[in-house]
Amino acid sequence: FNLSSHIEYYSKFPPTSFTLKSLIDFARDGDIKQSYKFLRVELLIRWSHMRKEMEYLPPKLLEMPSFKLVNSWYDQSYSEVLEFKNTEPDASTLRKFTETLVGIRKRHADVVSTLAQAYMEFEKVSLVSLIEKNRIQYFYDRFFMNRIGIRTLLYQHTLLFGDELPEHSQQAGIIDPCVDVVAVIGDAYSTAKYLFEHACYPVPKVEIESYNVKDHSTNPVTIVYIPSHIYHIVFELLKNSLRATVERYGLDAKEYPPVRIIIVKGHEDLTIQINDRGGGISRSKLSQLFHYMYSTAPKYLVDGTENSKKKPSIAGLGYGLPIARLYAQYFQGNLKLASIENYGTSAYVSLQATAENASERLPIFCKSRYSYTTKKGSDWT
Ligand code: W6P
């Protein structure tokens, strides 16, 4: 049983890109049979595109134990979905399919940290060239973006048609037509506060201002979005701002300058600006914050024993910021950092203000991108 012929076949179809609007419409009018018939193909298409791109990674990286482990999860999931290829959607098939998707979601829960580990294994056995680093950066961004999209579809199907219930009753599957942005930021702050207190870190205050320019009749600012995505993005940025502030003023300062957050819902964008006075960062270091290859990932990951007794509790895997940016970009938003060296940092998160404009940004495998002579066609949806 060989997957590669299937990968060749399915990679020839482009992925189907949804908008938040079309996902909500399907949640209201679609049924499980349509979802089944769509997903059993779409998942294979999206996985096949990433499998094709892997052929352009340094071959030795593909040989690393952690990389092989990740690929074994994809092989398993790929064959599980392929099993449904010619199966008519009777009740028992549909139930089995939904269970399969829940299983896939759980199987792939640790993909990001395992690929972080794969890169560290690779670095241990090879001197990685700049060209290779750039290529891995390019691939990891696309691969993790692809994963965000697939997990969104998996959650959407299982929340709409499975036994699990969404967090809030107004949600259409994973999408909340009325995300209260200030409340989500409050949740992220609470979690960060809890984390800091456990690490015996003081917690600077946050000040939040919000303006609803687009539909000024309704305050608070709300948006059609996937709440967990906003939470992820803000949590990561807030953690960085709080940490920088504490480290600049010392662990036992009497007062800390607050982290100031400004939220504005305009006509095109909903912007969240997070400002700290944590001393900033030089421009030369700023771009590195988004590089998987320069990440300051803790060493205990390498073999699971080094320093494992004392896991750093505030520092994450080192992949937090690049992943946060992918969450922002996934529905055509962005995340940018601007810094004043020796003063502070501002993070700008832009999200599409309307559900029609929030379309999935998905990687498309595009062979010509890997040749130096031709750059025809786009490699994103
Ligand atoms: C800093 C470094 C950083 C990264 C991301 C967000 C905020 C901040 N503040 O000093």
Side-chain angles (χ1 to χ4, degrees), residues 225-281:
Y225 221 81
I226 298 174
S228 61
H229 290 192
I230 301 179
Y231 176 91
H232 259 99
I233 296 165
V234 171
F235 175 67
E236 189 57 37
L237 293 172
L238 212 43
K239 226 173 33 168
N240 277 286
S241 285
L242 294 169
R243 176 153 63 130
T245 305
V246 170
E247 286 175 358
R248 173 137 212 243
Y249 288 82
L251 283 174
D252 38 36
K254 278 208 199 70
E255 258 191 313
Y256 297 91
V259 173
R260 292 183 48 242
I261 303 180
I262 300 167
I263 303 157
V264 181
K265 187 179 185 182
H267 293 282
E268 270 183 39
D269 286 337
L270 187 150
T271 308
I272 303 169
Q273 188 196 42
I274 301 176
N275 304 289
D276 69 58
R277 290 183 59 183
I281 182 164

Tab-separated table of all heavy atoms in Angstrom, residues 225-281:
chain	number	residue	atom	x	y	z
A	225	TYR	N	-15.160	35.907	14.270
A	225	TYR	CA	-13.819	35.316	14.243
A	225	TYR	C	-13.808	33.983	14.995
A	225	TYR	O	-14.824	33.559	15.563
A	225	TYR	CB	-12.787	36.274	14.869
A	225	TYR	CG	-11.477	36.288	14.088
A	225	TYR	CD1	-11.342	37.042	12.925
A	225	TYR	CD2	-10.397	35.495	14.497
A	225	TYR	CE1	-10.171	37.028	12.192
A	225	TYR	CE2	-9.214	35.472	13.766
A	225	TYR	CZ	-9.106	36.243	12.625
A	225	TYR	OH	-7.944	36.215	11.894
A	226	ILE	N	-12.638	33.351	14.982
A	226	ILE	CA	-12.425	32.167	15.803
A	226	ILE	C	-11.771	32.651	17.095
A	226	ILE	O	-10.616	33.084	17.070
A	226	ILE	CB	-11.543	31.144	15.059
A	226	ILE	CG1	-12.248	30.697	13.775
A	226	ILE	CG2	-11.210	29.954	15.960
A	226	ILE	CD1	-11.427	29.798	12.872
A	227	PRO	N	-12.518	32.629	18.202
A	227	PRO	CA	-12.006	33.276	19.414
A	227	PRO	C	-10.633	32.767	19.848
A	227	PRO	O	-9.784	33.555	20.273
A	227	PRO	CB	-13.057	32.956	20.480
A	227	PRO	CG	-14.210	32.342	19.787
A	227	PRO	CD	-13.863	32.062	18.376
A	228	SER	N	-10.422	31.446	19.713
A	228	SER	CA	-9.143	30.900	20.181
A	228	SER	C	-7.958	31.472	19.391
A	228	SER	O	-6.845	31.555	19.911
A	228	SER	CB	-9.143	29.376	20.093
A	228	SER	OG	-9.313	28.961	18.756
A	229	HIS	N	-8.184	31.864	18.148
A	229	HIS	CA	-7.089	32.437	17.356
A	229	HIS	C	-6.678	33.803	17.920
A	229	HIS	O	-5.488	34.092	18.061
A	229	HIS	CB	-7.485	32.577	15.881
A	229	HIS	CG	-7.604	31.260	15.172
A	229	HIS	ND1	-7.708	31.147	13.800
A	229	HIS	CD2	-7.631	29.989	15.647
A	229	HIS	CE1	-7.796	29.868	13.470
A	229	HIS	NE2	-7.762	29.149	14.568
A	230	ILE	N	-7.671	34.627	18.255
A	230	ILE	CA	-7.349	35.940	18.837
A	230	ILE	C	-6.658	35.740	20.187
A	230	ILE	O	-5.674	36.399	20.506
A	230	ILE	CB	-8.622	36.800	18.995
A	230	ILE	CG1	-9.283	36.990	17.625
A	230	ILE	CG2	-8.294	38.149	19.629
A	230	ILE	CD1	-10.560	37.813	17.667
A	231	TYR	N	-7.192	34.793	20.941
A	231	TYR	CA	-6.606	34.492	22.253
A	231	TYR	C	-5.122	34.111	22.119
A	231	TYR	O	-4.267	34.651	22.809
A	231	TYR	CB	-7.407	33.370	22.912
A	231	TYR	CG	-6.854	32.899	24.230
A	231	TYR	CD1	-7.271	33.473	25.425
A	231	TYR	CD2	-5.899	31.887	24.281
A	231	TYR	CE1	-6.759	33.055	26.641
A	231	TYR	CE2	-5.379	31.457	25.487
A	231	TYR	CZ	-5.810	32.032	26.659
A	231	TYR	OH	-5.293	31.609	27.859
A	232	HIS	N	-4.837	33.182	21.211
A	232	HIS	CA	-3.455	32.741	20.967
A	232	HIS	C	-2.527	33.902	20.656
A	232	HIS	O	-1.423	34.008	21.182
A	232	HIS	CB	-3.441	31.826	19.728
A	232	HIS	CG	-3.380	30.390	20.051
A	232	HIS	ND1	-4.500	29.588	20.056
A	232	HIS	CD2	-2.341	29.601	20.381
A	232	HIS	CE1	-4.138	28.356	20.377
A	232	HIS	NE2	-2.840	28.344	20.573
A	233	ILE	N	-2.968	34.738	19.732
A	233	ILE	CA	-2.143	35.848	19.260
A	233	ILE	C	-1.859	36.812	20.414
A	233	ILE	O	-0.706	37.157	20.690
A	233	ILE	CB	-2.872	36.613	18.116
A	233	ILE	CG1	-3.070	35.700	16.907
A	233	ILE	CG2	-2.103	37.868	17.730
A	233	ILE	CD1	-4.084	36.246	15.886
A	234	VAL	N	-2.938	37.213	21.099
A	234	VAL	CA	-2.792	38.218	22.148
A	234	VAL	C	-2.017	37.650	23.335
A	234	VAL	O	-1.180	38.330	23.927
A	234	VAL	CB	-4.175	38.736	22.582
A	234	VAL	CG1	-4.061	39.621	23.811
A	234	VAL	CG2	-4.841	39.494	21.444
A	235	PHE	N	-2.276	36.406	23.681
A	235	PHE	CA	-1.570	35.787	24.805
A	235	PHE	C	-0.061	35.822	24.570
A	235	PHE	O	0.715	36.190	25.446
A	235	PHE	CB	-2.056	34.351	24.999
A	235	PHE	CG	-1.307	33.590	26.046
A	235	PHE	CD1	-1.406	33.944	27.386
A	235	PHE	CD2	-0.493	32.522	25.696
A	235	PHE	CE1	-0.701	33.244	28.363
A	235	PHE	CE2	0.210	31.819	26.655
A	235	PHE	CZ	0.105	32.179	27.992
A	236	GLU	N	0.345	35.453	23.361
A	236	GLU	CA	1.769	35.425	23.042
A	236	GLU	C	2.401	36.814	23.131
A	236	GLU	O	3.481	36.991	23.697
A	236	GLU	CB	1.935	34.838	21.627
A	236	GLU	CG	3.351	34.557	21.229
A	236	GLU	CD	4.064	33.608	22.192
A	236	GLU	OE1	3.411	32.665	22.701
A	236	GLU	OE2	5.257	33.846	22.445
A	237	LEU	N	1.711	37.801	22.580
A	237	LEU	CA	2.250	39.165	22.587
A	237	LEU	C	2.275	39.739	23.998
A	237	LEU	O	3.250	40.367	24.419
A	237	LEU	CB	1.421	40.058	21.661
A	237	LEU	CG	1.528	39.708	20.178
A	237	LEU	CD1	0.519	40.509	19.372
A	237	LEU	CD2	2.948	39.953	19.664
A	238	LEU	N	1.201	39.508	24.729
A	238	LEU	CA	1.086	40.027	26.085
A	238	LEU	C	2.185	39.454	26.980
A	238	LEU	O	2.819	40.170	27.755
A	238	LEU	CB	-0.299	39.639	26.615
A	238	LEU	CG	-1.012	40.558	27.591
A	238	LEU	CD1	-0.892	42.011	27.179
A	238	LEU	CD2	-2.491	40.153	27.665
A	239	LYS	N	2.417	38.158	26.840
A	239	LYS	CA	3.460	37.494	27.614
A	239	LYS	C	4.811	38.158	27.363
A	239	LYS	O	5.575	38.428	28.287
A	239	LYS	CB	3.515	36.031	27.168
A	239	LYS	CG	3.579	35.040	28.264
A	239	LYS	CD	3.448	33.601	27.750
A	239	LYS	CE	4.048	33.369	26.382
A	239	LYS	NZ	4.168	31.976	25.995
A	240	ASN	N	5.098	38.432	26.098
A	240	ASN	CA	6.364	39.072	25.740
A	240	ASN	C	6.465	40.469	26.332
A	240	ASN	O	7.513	40.862	26.837
A	240	ASN	CB	6.501	39.154	24.214
A	240	ASN	CG	7.021	37.869	23.625
A	240	ASN	OD1	8.185	37.554	23.744
A	240	ASN	ND2	6.141	37.113	22.992
A	241	SER	N	5.367	41.231	26.246
A	241	SER	CA	5.374	42.596	26.762
A	241	SER	C	5.538	42.614	28.276
A	241	SER	O	6.305	43.411	28.824
A	241	SER	CB	4.077	43.315	26.365
A	241	SER	OG	4.126	43.659	25.004
A	242	LEU	N	4.808	41.738	28.960
A	242	LEU	CA	4.885	41.687	30.420
A	242	LEU	C	6.278	41.266	30.865
A	242	LEU	O	6.866	41.849	31.774
A	242	LEU	CB	3.826	40.719	30.970
A	242	LEU	CG	2.359	41.141	30.767
A	242	LEU	CD1	1.415	39.991	31.115
A	242	LEU	CD2	2.016	42.371	31.601
A	243	ARG	N	6.813	40.277	30.188
A	243	ARG	CA	8.139	39.783	30.555
A	243	ARG	C	9.206	40.860	30.343
A	243	ARG	O	10.059	41.088	31.196
A	243	ARG	CB	8.490	38.530	29.757
A	243	ARG	CG	9.904	38.043	30.056
A	243	ARG	CD	10.061	36.573	29.839
A	243	ARG	NE	9.843	36.240	28.444
A	243	ARG	CZ	10.687	35.487	27.734
A	243	ARG	NH1	11.773	35.001	28.284
A	243	ARG	NH2	10.416	35.208	26.477
A	244	ALA	N	9.124	41.533	29.187
A	244	ALA	CA	10.112	42.584	28.906
A	244	ALA	C	10.031	43.682	29.963
A	244	ALA	O	11.061	44.188	30.439
A	244	ALA	CB	9.870	43.160	27.509
A	245	THR	N	8.808	44.037	30.368
A	245	THR	CA	8.630	45.093	31.366
A	245	THR	C	9.240	44.683	32.704
A	245	THR	O	9.997	45.447	33.324
A	245	THR	CB	7.120	45.397	31.533
A	245	THR	OG1	6.567	45.705	30.259
A	245	THR	CG2	6.903	46.567	32.478
A	246	VAL	N	8.919	43.472	33.130
A	246	VAL	CA	9.437	42.991	34.418
A	246	VAL	C	10.967	42.905	34.385
A	246	VAL	O	11.651	43.308	35.333
A	246	VAL	CB	8.827	41.622	34.775
A	246	VAL	CG1	9.531	41.008	35.976
A	246	VAL	CG2	7.336	41.766	35.036
A	247	GLU	N	11.497	42.418	33.283
A	247	GLU	CA	12.946	42.231	33.228
A	247	GLU	C	13.678	43.567	33.126
A	247	GLU	O	14.805	43.699	33.590
A	247	GLU	CB	13.302	41.247	32.111
A	247	GLU	CG	12.923	39.832	32.569
A	247	GLU	CD	13.095	38.726	31.541
A	247	GLU	OE1	13.496	39.035	30.395
A	247	GLU	OE2	12.813	37.561	31.889
A	248	ARG	N	13.016	44.561	32.549
A	248	ARG	CA	13.667	45.871	32.455
A	248	ARG	C	13.716	46.574	33.806
A	248	ARG	O	14.709	47.175	34.175
A	248	ARG	CB	12.908	46.749	31.478
A	248	ARG	CG	13.440	48.180	31.453
A	248	ARG	CD	13.524	48.665	30.053
A	248	ARG	NE	14.599	49.582	29.874
A	248	ARG	CZ	14.429	50.857	29.523
A	248	ARG	NH1	13.206	51.325	29.351
A	248	ARG	NH2	15.467	51.622	29.331
A	249	TYR	N	12.616	46.486	34.549
A	249	TYR	CA	12.537	47.239	35.817
A	249	TYR	C	12.946	46.407	37.023
A	249	TYR	O	13.020	46.917	38.136
A	249	TYR	CB	11.123	47.814	36.004
A	249	TYR	CG	10.860	48.963	35.053
A	249	TYR	CD1	10.473	48.733	33.730
A	249	TYR	CD2	11.043	50.280	35.469
A	249	TYR	CE1	10.268	49.774	32.850
A	249	TYR	CE2	10.846	51.336	34.593
A	249	TYR	CZ	10.458	51.074	33.282
A	249	TYR	OH	10.265	52.108	32.418
A	250	GLY	N	13.198	45.128	36.797
A	250	GLY	CA	13.635	44.265	37.896
A	250	GLY	C	12.471	43.590	38.595
A	250	GLY	O	11.338	44.057	38.525
A	251	LEU	N	12.795	42.468	39.270
A	251	LEU	CA	11.733	41.655	39.867
A	251	LEU	C	11.041	42.330	41.047
A	251	LEU	O	9.910	42.005	41.374
A	251	LEU	CB	12.300	40.302	40.318
A	251	LEU	CG	12.562	39.274	39.221
A	251	LEU	CD1	13.252	38.054	39.793
A	251	LEU	CD2	11.251	38.881	38.531
A	252	ASP	N	11.739	43.273	41.717
A	252	ASP	CA	11.085	43.870	42.885
A	252	ASP	C	10.955	45.390	42.774
A	252	ASP	O	11.160	46.117	43.741
A	252	ASP	CB	11.774	43.451	44.181
A	252	ASP	CG	13.287	43.377	43.983
A	252	ASP	OD1	13.831	44.216	43.218
A	252	ASP	OD2	13.914	42.483	44.555
A	253	ALA	N	10.612	45.840	41.587
A	253	ALA	CA	10.335	47.267	41.409
A	253	ALA	C	9.024	47.619	42.110
A	253	ALA	O	8.148	46.773	42.255
A	253	ALA	CB	10.251	47.602	39.923
A	254	LYS	N	8.922	48.892	42.557
A	254	LYS	CA	7.672	49.301	43.241
A	254	LYS	C	6.525	49.390	42.246
A	254	LYS	O	5.387	49.092	42.549
A	254	LYS	CB	7.879	50.667	43.897
A	254	LYS	CG	8.567	50.590	45.254
A	254	LYS	CD	8.125	51.774	46.129
A	254	LYS	CE	9.101	51.995	47.284
A	254	LYS	NZ	10.414	52.510	46.830
A	255	GLU	N	6.866	49.864	41.045
A	255	GLU	CA	5.838	50.100	40.024
A	255	GLU	C	6.387	49.726	38.663
A	255	GLU	O	7.580	49.840	38.425
A	255	GLU	CB	5.489	51.592	39.998
A	255	GLU	CG	4.197	51.919	40.698
A	255	GLU	CD	3.787	53.349	40.387
A	255	GLU	OE1	4.643	54.249	40.477
A	255	GLU	OE2	2.618	53.546	40.018
A	256	TYR	N	5.475	49.324	37.804
A	256	TYR	CA	5.864	49.033	36.424
A	256	TYR	C	4.999	49.861	35.487
A	256	TYR	O	3.810	50.068	35.775
A	256	TYR	CB	5.657	47.551	36.105
A	256	TYR	CG	6.500	46.636	36.939
A	256	TYR	CD1	6.015	46.136	38.150
A	256	TYR	CD2	7.788	46.292	36.551
A	256	TYR	CE1	6.793	45.309	38.941
A	256	TYR	CE2	8.573	45.463	37.333
A	256	TYR	CZ	8.071	44.972	38.530
A	256	TYR	OH	8.848	44.155	39.305
A	257	PRO	N	5.564	50.340	34.388
A	257	PRO	CA	4.695	51.012	33.426
A	257	PRO	C	3.700	50.006	32.851
A	257	PRO	O	4.091	48.882	32.528
A	257	PRO	CB	5.657	51.523	32.349
A	257	PRO	CG	6.902	50.739	32.531
A	257	PRO	CD	6.956	50.271	33.952
A	258	PRO	N	2.419	50.359	32.761
A	258	PRO	CA	1.422	49.387	32.287
A	258	PRO	C	1.632	49.068	30.800
A	258	PRO	O	2.209	49.865	30.063
A	258	PRO	CB	0.092	50.118	32.486
A	258	PRO	CG	0.447	51.562	32.478
A	258	PRO	CD	1.813	51.666	33.068
A	259	VAL	N	1.162	47.907	30.421
A	259	VAL	CA	1.104	47.568	28.999
A	259	VAL	C	-0.188	48.189	28.471
A	259	VAL	O	-1.268	47.930	29.005
A	259	VAL	CB	1.113	46.036	28.804
A	259	VAL	CG1	0.876	45.679	27.350
A	259	VAL	CG2	2.420	45.452	29.304
A	260	ARG	N	-0.060	49.060	27.478
A	260	ARG	CA	-1.226	49.781	26.974
A	260	ARG	C	-1.734	49.136	25.683
A	260	ARG	O	-0.977	48.922	24.744
A	260	ARG	CB	-0.897	51.250	26.749
A	260	ARG	CG	-0.645	52.003	28.070
A	260	ARG	CD	-0.384	53.479	27.852
A	260	ARG	NE	-1.360	54.083	26.969
A	260	ARG	CZ	-1.072	54.645	25.794
A	260	ARG	NH1	0.174	54.698	25.365
A	260	ARG	NH2	-2.021	55.165	25.063
A	261	ILE	N	-3.021	48.835	25.671
A	261	ILE	CA	-3.601	48.151	24.510
A	261	ILE	C	-4.686	49.033	23.893
A	261	ILE	O	-5.546	49.549	24.609
A	261	ILE	CB	-4.207	46.785	24.916
A	261	ILE	CG1	-3.119	45.922	25.584
A	261	ILE	CG2	-4.816	46.081	23.710
A	261	ILE	CD1	-3.600	44.557	26.012
A	262	ILE	N	-4.596	49.234	22.609
A	262	ILE	CA	-5.594	50.033	21.896
A	262	ILE	C	-6.259	49.138	20.851
A	262	ILE	O	-5.569	48.460	20.078
A	262	ILE	CB	-4.938	51.256	21.222
A	262	ILE	CG1	-4.279	52.144	22.294
A	262	ILE	CG2	-5.973	52.050	20.426
A	262	ILE	CD1	-3.347	53.179	21.726
A	263	ILE	N	-7.587	49.125	20.875
A	263	ILE	CA	-8.339	48.297	19.924
A	263	ILE	C	-9.223	49.227	19.104
A	263	ILE	O	-9.981	50.008	19.675
A	263	ILE	CB	-9.250	47.303	20.670
A	263	ILE	CG1	-8.420	46.431	21.622
A	263	ILE	CG2	-10.046	46.432	19.705
A	263	ILE	CD1	-9.247	45.854	22.745
A	264	VAL	N	-9.091	49.157	17.794
A	264	VAL	CA	-9.934	49.988	16.947
A	264	VAL	C	-10.559	49.127	15.860
A	264	VAL	O	-9.849	48.449	15.116
A	264	VAL	CB	-9.145	51.149	16.290
A	264	VAL	CG1	-10.073	52.008	15.446
A	264	VAL	CG2	-8.459	52.000	17.349
A	265	LYS	N	-11.903	49.161	15.785
A	265	LYS	CA	-12.565	48.485	14.667
A	265	LYS	C	-12.902	49.530	13.611
A	265	LYS	O	-13.753	50.389	13.820
A	265	LYS	CB	-13.835	47.782	15.126
A	265	LYS	CG	-14.436	46.936	14.019
A	265	LYS	CD	-15.679	46.217	14.479
A	265	LYS	CE	-16.187	45.274	13.389
A	265	LYS	NZ	-17.416	44.597	13.803
A	266	GLY	N	-12.158	49.468	12.511
A	266	GLY	CA	-12.409	50.386	11.401
A	266	GLY	C	-13.240	49.697	10.341
A	266	GLY	O	-13.873	48.677	10.598
A	267	HIS	N	-13.204	50.232	9.117
A	267	HIS	CA	-14.039	49.658	8.059
A	267	HIS	C	-13.419	48.410	7.457
A	267	HIS	O	-14.127	47.465	7.141
A	267	HIS	CB	-14.316	50.716	6.992
A	267	HIS	CG	-15.169	51.818	7.545
A	267	HIS	ND1	-16.528	51.685	7.705
A	267	HIS	CD2	-14.842	53.032	8.049
A	267	HIS	CE1	-17.014	52.778	8.259
A	267	HIS	NE2	-16.009	53.620	8.474
A	268	GLU	N	-12.092	48.402	7.300
A	268	GLU	CA	-11.431	47.223	6.745
A	268	GLU	C	-10.843	46.331	7.829
A	268	GLU	O	-10.944	45.116	7.775
A	268	GLU	CB	-10.286	47.649	5.819
A	268	GLU	CG	-10.700	47.839	4.393
A	268	GLU	CD	-9.513	48.189	3.509
A	268	GLU	OE1	-8.409	47.628	3.713
A	268	GLU	OE2	-9.689	49.042	2.633
A	269	ASP	N	-10.173	46.976	8.777
A	269	ASP	CA	-9.401	46.223	9.764
A	269	ASP	C	-9.919	46.410	11.173
A	269	ASP	O	-10.406	47.482	11.529
A	269	ASP	CB	-7.941	46.722	9.786
A	269	ASP	CG	-7.157	46.272	8.576
A	269	ASP	OD1	-7.537	45.263	7.955
A	269	ASP	OD2	-6.148	46.933	8.253
A	270	LEU	N	-9.748	45.378	11.937
A	270	LEU	CA	-9.794	45.546	13.376
A	270	LEU	C	-8.336	45.457	13.825
A	270	LEU	O	-7.651	44.476	13.544
A	270	LEU	CB	-10.630	44.451	14.036
A	270	LEU	CG	-10.874	44.627	15.535
A	270	LEU	CD1	-12.209	44.011	15.925
A	270	LEU	CD2	-9.777	44.021	16.382
A	271	THR	N	-7.852	46.529	14.446
A	271	THR	CA	-6.446	46.573	14.840
A	271	THR	C	-6.318	46.509	16.355
A	271	THR	O	-7.063	47.173	17.067
A	271	THR	CB	-5.782	47.865	14.320
A	271	THR	OG1	-6.035	47.984	12.920
A	271	THR	CG2	-4.279	47.840	14.556
A	272	ILE	N	-5.387	45.690	16.798
A	272	ILE	CA	-5.064	45.624	18.222
A	272	ILE	C	-3.604	46.041	18.352
A	272	ILE	O	-2.717	45.404	17.772
A	272	ILE	CB	-5.234	44.193	18.783
A	272	ILE	CG1	-6.653	43.672	18.538
A	272	ILE	CG2	-4.902	44.153	20.270
A	272	ILE	CD1	-6.814	42.174	18.819
A	273	GLN	N	-3.371	47.131	19.060
A	273	GLN	CA	-1.986	47.567	19.270
A	273	GLN	C	-1.627	47.322	20.730
A	273	GLN	O	-2.346	47.734	21.633
A	273	GLN	CB	-1.844	49.054	18.936
A	273	GLN	CG	-0.401	49.518	18.948
A	273	GLN	CD	-0.299	51.030	19.003
A	273	GLN	OE1	-1.035	51.681	19.743
A	273	GLN	NE2	0.616	51.595	18.233
A	274	ILE	N	-0.507	46.642	20.937
A	274	ILE	CA	-0.059	46.325	22.298
A	274	ILE	C	1.284	47.005	22.536
A	274	ILE	O	2.267	46.702	21.850
A	274	ILE	CB	0.058	44.798	22.485
A	274	ILE	CG1	-1.312	44.146	22.207
A	274	ILE	CG2	0.548	44.455	23.892
A	274	ILE	CD1	-1.304	42.635	22.278
A	275	ASN	N	1.301	47.958	23.455
A	275	ASN	CA	2.501	48.769	23.678
A	275	ASN	C	3.110	48.479	25.035
A	275	ASN	O	2.415	48.555	26.049
A	275	ASN	CB	2.120	50.261	23.650
A	275	ASN	CG	1.422	50.628	22.351
A	275	ASN	OD1	2.041	50.675	21.307
A	275	ASN	ND2	0.122	50.857	22.437
A	276	ASP	N	4.399	48.176	25.032
A	276	ASP	CA	5.068	48.030	26.317
A	276	ASP	C	6.235	49.007	26.399
A	276	ASP	O	6.655	49.583	25.400
A	276	ASP	CB	5.533	46.575	26.531
A	276	ASP	CG	6.671	46.151	25.604
A	276	ASP	OD1	7.742	46.785	25.613
A	276	ASP	OD2	6.477	45.148	24.866
A	277	ARG	N	6.706	49.182	27.617
A	277	ARG	CA	7.906	49.992	27.828
A	277	ARG	C	8.984	49.117	28.438
A	277	ARG	O	9.616	49.455	29.424
A	277	ARG	CB	7.567	51.205	28.691
A	277	ARG	CG	6.688	52.191	27.923
A	277	ARG	CD	6.397	53.431	28.707
A	277	ARG	NE	7.616	54.141	29.093
A	277	ARG	CZ	7.623	55.244	29.849
A	277	ARG	NH1	6.479	55.747	30.284
A	277	ARG	NH2	8.756	55.828	30.166
A	278	GLY	N	9.165	47.983	27.781
A	278	GLY	CA	10.108	46.980	28.273
A	278	GLY	C	11.515	47.138	27.727
A	278	GLY	O	12.306	46.202	27.773
A	279	GLY	N	11.828	48.308	27.200
A	279	GLY	CA	13.201	48.537	26.758
A	279	GLY	C	13.437	48.278	25.282
A	279	GLY	O	14.519	48.529	24.760
A	280	GLY	N	12.426	47.778	24.600
A	280	GLY	CA	12.540	47.615	23.158
A	280	GLY	C	13.555	46.571	22.746
A	280	GLY	O	14.056	45.799	23.559
A	281	ILE	N	13.850	46.586	21.476
A	281	ILE	CA	14.740	45.572	20.915
A	281	ILE	C	15.360	46.208	19.671
A	281	ILE	O	14.712	47.014	18.999
A	281	ILE	CB	13.926	44.288	20.617
A	281	ILE	CG1	14.780	43.169	20.074
A	281	ILE	CG2	12.740	44.550	19.720
A	281	ILE	CD1	14.094	41.831	20.137
